[in-house]
Amino acid sequence: MTGRPEKHSLTLRGHRTSVSLEGEFWEAFRALARARGMGINELATEIDESRGDRGLASAIRVTVLRALQSPAGQSGA
């Protein structure tokens, strides 16, 4: 593990925001976006729209975890 979370900027519906995730989650998030034929901003927007009251970073982690746990792996919806 790399230790501290890494902060990266994302653009959601035309607005910039920063998200802090561990390096391993950034790698898995990028891989998930590629597997779904999306950019990370597009996937982050989709996650943001359905996250409810959960923080965006937490919602991204849960999405990555669920994708990795699903039988379809990263290609699942």
Side-chain angles (χ1 to χ4, degrees), residues 38-55:
M38 310 168 89
I40 62 169
N41 290 317
E42 185 180 3
L43 180 54
T45 298
E46 183 179 287
I47 293 167
D48 186 52
E49 291 171 349
S50 64
R51 69 184 169 99
D53 61 353
R54 179 180 292 164

Side-chain angles (χ1 to χ4, degrees), residues 26-72:
W26 279 115
E27 290 174 25
F29 182 50
R30 287 184 187 104
L32 179 59
R34 279 191 307 273
R36 293 185 180 181
M38 310 168 89
I40 62 169
N41 290 317
E42 185 180 3
L43 180 54
T45 298
E46 183 179 287
I47 293 167
D48 186 52
E49 291 171 349
S50 64
R51 69 184 169 99
D53 61 353
R54 179 180 292 164
L56 181 57
S58 294
I60 291 171
R61 286 185 189 97
V62 169
T63 299
V64 166
L65 178 63
R66 286 181 179 157
L68 292 172
Q69 290 177 331
S70 75

